[in-house]
């Protein structure tokens, strides 16, 4: 449980730091608009509830293999889903990759700060 809490803390810190990066902000905005458009489409054309539509839109863009038990029934829905997945998967992948890179860089920066602090403490002890 402690490792989960620490991971969430590190994730949130990286998320805050990532939003300061204009490229990440652009990717996140694009991803948000893609998920929003998918949600609107599935609620209007397929008759799904909002939560089901959001769930399908997010889970289908993450390569987890989770079965949502949802699939479009109409021909328009099937065509939209094919295009949605082609465009959305790439944007989701790059967004997650950028966030992961930020998490790694944040952890490396913390480690460098810790090392610098140790060296500074050692230097002070020598004096």
């Amino acid at each position: 449980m402690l490792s989960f809490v620490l991971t969430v803390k590190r994730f949130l810190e990286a998320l805050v730091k990532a939003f300061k990066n204009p490229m990440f902000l652009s990717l996140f905005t694009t991803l948000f608009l893609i998920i929003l458009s998918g949600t609107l489409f599935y609620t209007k054309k397929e008759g799904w509830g909002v939560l089901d539509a959001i769930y399908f839109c997010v889970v289908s863009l993450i390569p987890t293999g989770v079965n949502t038990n949802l699939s479009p029934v109409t021909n328009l829905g099937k065509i939209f889903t094919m295009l949605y997945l082609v465009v959305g998967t790439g944007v989701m992948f790059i967004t997650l990759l950028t966030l992961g890179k930020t998490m790694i860089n944040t952890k490396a920066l913390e480690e460098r700060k810790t090392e610098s602090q140790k060296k500074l403490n050692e230097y002070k002890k020598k004096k």
Side-chain angles (χ1 to χ4, degrees):
M1 182 66 175
L2 179 61
S3 64
F4 175 74
V5 171
L6 292 174
T7 302
V8 169
K9 179 184 176 280
R10 187 175 296 135
F11 172 76
L12 292 175
E13 288 172 352
L15 195 59
V16 168
K17 189 172 182 177
F19 272 112
K20 294 177 183 175
N21 179 350
M23 185 181 102
F24 180 80
L25 188 58
S26 174
L27 284 168
F28 186 84
T29 303
T30 303
L31 182 63
F32 175 79
L33 292 173
I34 288 170
I35 292 172
L36 178 65
S37 67
T39 301
L40 293 173
F41 178 85
Y42 292 120
T43 55
K44 300 294 182 201
K45 298 296 179 185
E46 295 293 326
W48 297 352
V50 174
L51 187 58
D52 285 339
I54 292 171
Y55 179 74
F56 178 80
C57 289
V58 172
V59 170
S60 63
L61 294 181
I62 300 173
T64 58
V66 173
N67 184 5
T68 61
N69 291 327
L70 296 168
S71 60
V73 178
T74 64
N75 287 334
L76 180 61
K78 292 174 184 177
I79 292 169
F80 176 82
T81 301
M82 288 186 285
L83 296 173
Y84 174 81
L85 291 176
V86 168
V87 173
T89 303
V91 174
M92 176 66 89
F93 178 74
I94 293 172
T95 304
L96 292 175
L97 187 67
T98 304
L99 183 58
K101 185 178 176 183
T102 303
M103 285 180 74
I104 290 169
N105 290 341
T106 301
K107 184 171 187 214
L109 182 63
E110 287 174 5
E111 289 173 356
R112 277 187 259 139
K113 283 182 182 179
T114 303
E115 283 181 30
S116 298
Q117 189 63 39
K118 285 180 183 177
K119 288 179 182 178
L120 182 62
N121 290 340
E122 288 174 9
Y123 178 74
K124 286 180 180 179
K125 286 180 182 178
K126 289 180 182 178
K127 279 189 156 186

